[in-house]
Each structure stands twice: as structure tokens, then as C-alpha cells.
Amino acid sequence: MQIVYGVIRRIYLKERIFEIKIRNKIQFFYLTRSQMKQFNVYLQPGLFVHLKCRENQSHHVISNGRRKTKILANEVVNFVKMIRRSQSKMTVYFDLSTIRRGVQSVLNKKGYRMFLDLEFTLPPYSFQGGQEFVAEIVQYGFYLEDENGQVILKEQSLIKPKYHSGLNLRTYKFLNLRKSDFRNALSFRTFYNRLKYIIYRYQPTIYVWGKNDIKVLEKAYELHKLKPITVRMNFINLMQIMKNYYGIKTDIGLFNAFAFFDEEIPEAQDHDALQDAMITRNIYHLFKQSFNSQ
């Protein structure tokens, strides 16, 4: 393993290669597709980088207009820090040590873990801006595991919304469901009591993908005039943790997260709460394994 410090002189985006001048010699470095996706927004000439790379070099070809040049390049293992300096200030775009401390506390947290996914109603196709619409939970799915990662409980059910206007063609199509599927759906209060029992008994950390599940659940307490049984500190937004760690500004699709670990993206991508809860759990363990092996 080789440690490198230097300022990026030039970037070859198509080839995922950049160059740094080290001891009066130009040295080339190449990125994997997932690394390029993660750091593309920051990689510009003039950026100071601290990185780790493999010592062995491999052959590559870079293009400069019509001219093609054969080079040797080192594979980047990971970035440690990214800084841009100007006359007036220094901006830190990425600092692995700071991020790692926060991520470590999240991924290696003791106790039970719940991976929860909620599906909501959608406004009808005829919905127009300015009209009132409240998104309601119509399906939940979760996996509950112990500290060792063993699943001790998994559960899924449909939930009847308070306002029937939410059960419209758009919602049915999005969830691949029919009106008849909701005949035996649970009431929200039944779901509430079930969730309350599990939280009080196991006191799990609740992992979700994105912040919408948290917001809609909080809104549901108000809608049904029930005392909240969760607070924000009970939840961990796994997508936000990954965005912070990899330095990504845009949201990451749940299934697209597999690409960060060089895993194939599953073909079946139905909007199903239990399936999405399972995928969230899989992403958590892939992320944890990747993080702890570095």
C-alpha cells in the first residue's frame, strides 16, 4: 500500500484517471466506477488529495483530443482527505477520519436492530396543486435482528388508511395491489400497538432508507391522535450515513446502493415493504462488512 499527497493537475473523466506531480514526476491514478460515482463532484484540477493506492501499476490509455497515450497508473484504494485551498480560505470536502468515527458508532451500535420500511398512499392522478392531501401508511414490513445479526422476527401487513381517497388507481398501480387486497388490512391502531410492543420489549435501533418513513410515521400519530411511540433519536437514516461517508450530495436509490459494494443490482424492484426492509438490512450488512474490513 502506498500513501500519496498532492494536488490534482488534470483529470481524464472517460478513463477515470487523474494525474499528480510527485517529486517532479507525473504519476497517474485510476478509480473504480463506484469510486468515480462517489467522488466525481469533487474531483477537479487544483484539489489537494491525501489517498492510499496499490503499489502495483497497470497499463491504461488516456485520450488528449485525438492523441492517445499509453500510461502506467496506480489503483486508488481510498481517499483520506480532500481539500481545496484559496487565498482567503481552506475548504475540506472530505475527511475520512471524522466521518469514520461517526459511521463506526452507527454501524457497530450494540443492541437489537429493526429494519423498517413503510409504503404510503399517493395523490390521485386528478390531484392538482393547492389541494390538500395527506400521505398515509398503507403497508409496513420489518426485520428485527439481535446484536449478532440473527433475524428473530419479520413481519408485514397492509394498513387501512383513514381517508379512502388515498386508495386510488395511482396507489394501487405503484404498489401492484388491488382494492380487494385491503379487505383484511389492519387498522392503524393495531399496527401502532404492535410497533409499541416491539419497541418497548426490544428497544431496537430503527434503520430506515431516507427520511420519508420517519416523517410519515410522525404525521400518522397526529392524524390518529395517538401518543408518539418513537422519537427521531430512535432512527438511523442509513442512506444519509452512506451519503456522508462517500461524499455524495444526491439521494441514493435503495437498490442502486448495491453498486457501492460491487454487487449486482437485483432485477426485481417491486414497491413491497418487506422486500425493501430486507434490502435495507442487506445494504447495512454489506456496508458494515466493507467498513470494518478497511
Side-chain angles (χ1 to χ4, degrees):
M1 196 76 69
Q2 183 180 351
I3 298 175
V4 174
Y5 302 85
V7 177
I8 294 178
R9 289 164 48 95
R10 188 168 184 174
I11 300 172
Y12 304 88
L13 292 175
K14 187 177 180 180
E15 295 85 358
R16 306 192 307 277
I17 290 173
F18 61 89
E19 62 180 56
I20 297 176
K21 191 173 184 179
I22 303 172
R23 299 187 187 91
N24 296 320
K25 181 182 178 181
I26 301 299
Q27 190 168 340
F28 296 92
F29 303 88
Y30 73 93
L31 302 166
T32 63
R33 285 185 174 83
S34 59
Q35 287 172 332
M36 192 67 186
K37 183 178 180 180
Q38 295 159 20
F39 296 106
N40 182 42
V41 67
Y42 303 120
L43 294 175
Q44 296 178 1
L47 181 72
F48 174 84
V49 293
H50 170 195
L51 60 87
K52 294 180 182 179
C53 67
R54 303 193 188 282
E55 294 187 9
N56 296 333
Q57 295 180 314
S58 57
H59 293 276
H60 295 265
V61 177
I62 55 176
S63 300
N64 185 6
R66 296 182 178 180
R67 181 182 175 186
K68 296 185 181 296
T69 306
K70 294 181 180 180
I71 62 160
L72 289 172
N74 299 79
E75 179 186 356
V76 174
V77 175
N78 66 274
F79 288 101
V80 178
K81 189 170 287 190
M82 293 180 173
I83 300 172
R84 179 170 290 279
R85 292 190 176 97
S86 65
Q87 293 182 347
S88 58
K89 65 177 181 178
M90 180 179 71
T91 304
V92 178
Y93 288 124
F94 181 80
D95 188 339
L96 185 60
S97 61
T98 301
I99 295 171
R100 281 187 66 87
R101 286 194 293 271
V103 172
Q104 185 177 33
S105 66
V106 169
L107 295 182
N108 297 304
K109 196 171 183 179
K110 302 295 184 182
Y112 291 95
R113 293 181 287 266
M114 173 186 279
F115 300 92
L116 175 69
D117 185 79
L118 304 172
E119 300 293 342
F120 333 121
T121 55
L122 297 173
Y125 289 117
S126 59
F127 180 79
Q128 297 179 354
Q131 293 179 315
E132 185 178 359
F133 180 82
V134 178
E136 294 188 66
I137 301 168
V138 287
Q139 188 184 54
Y140 77 92
F142 70 77
Y143 278 77
L144 182 69
E145 67 176 31
D146 62 20
E147 195 171 292
N148 298 317
Q150 297 298 312
V151 175
I152 59 174
L153 186 64
K154 67 176 181 178
E155 198 170 295
Q156 177 188 37
S157 183
L158 297 177
I159 300 173
K160 294 178 182 177
K162 182 175 182 179
Y163 299 114
H164 296 291
S165 60
L167 291 180
N168 53 62
L169 182 61
R170 187 178 180 188
T171 300
Y172 291 139
K173 186 175 181 180
F174 182 76
L175 298 176
N176 194 25
L177 294 171
R178 295 172 296 180
K179 184 177 181 179
S180 58
D181 293 323
F182 284 85
R183 287 174 184 165
N184 298 316
L186 302 179
S187 67
F188 180 81
R189 183 177 287 273
T190 301
F191 162 68
Y192 172 90
N193 289 332
R194 180 61 177 155
L195 185 62
K196 181 179 179 180
Y197 168 78
I198 292 170
I199 289 174
Y200 284 5
R201 177 174 178 179
Y202 297 100
Q203 298 181 1
T205 299
I206 306 173
Y207 291 82
V208 294
W209 191 263
K211 58 187 177 182
N212 288 339
D213 295 62
I214 305 171
K215 289 183 175 181
V216 173
L217 184 58
E218 289 175 344
K219 193 70 178 177
Y221 297 144
E222 297 179 18
L223 184 65
H224 293 272
K225 296 180 172 56
L226 294 170
K227 182 180 178 181
I229 52 176
T230 56
V231 293
R232 287 288 176 106
M233 64 182 299
N234 296 138
F235 294 91
I236 289 178
N237 180 350
L238 189 58
M239 179 178 70
Q240 189 61 52
I241 299 300
M242 286 186 60
K243 284 173 63 177
N244 294 345
Y245 184 69
Y246 291 116
I248 298 172
K249 293 184 177 180
T250 57
D251 285 350
I252 308 167
L254 176 59
F255 285 81
N256 291 335
F258 280 101
F260 288 86
F261 312 105
D262 295 323
E263 297 278 339
E264 287 190 15
I265 299 175
E267 292 184 6
Q269 299 185 26
D270 297 327
H271 293 283
D272 178 84
L274 188 63
Q275 182 191 50
D276 288 354
M278 178 189 69
I279 296 297
T280 303
R281 177 175 178 265
N282 291 345
I283 294 298
Y284 165 84
H285 284 289
L286 285 170
F287 188 22
K288 182 178 180 180
Q289 182 181 13
S290 174
F291 178 86
N292 289 335
S293 65
Q294 294 180 14

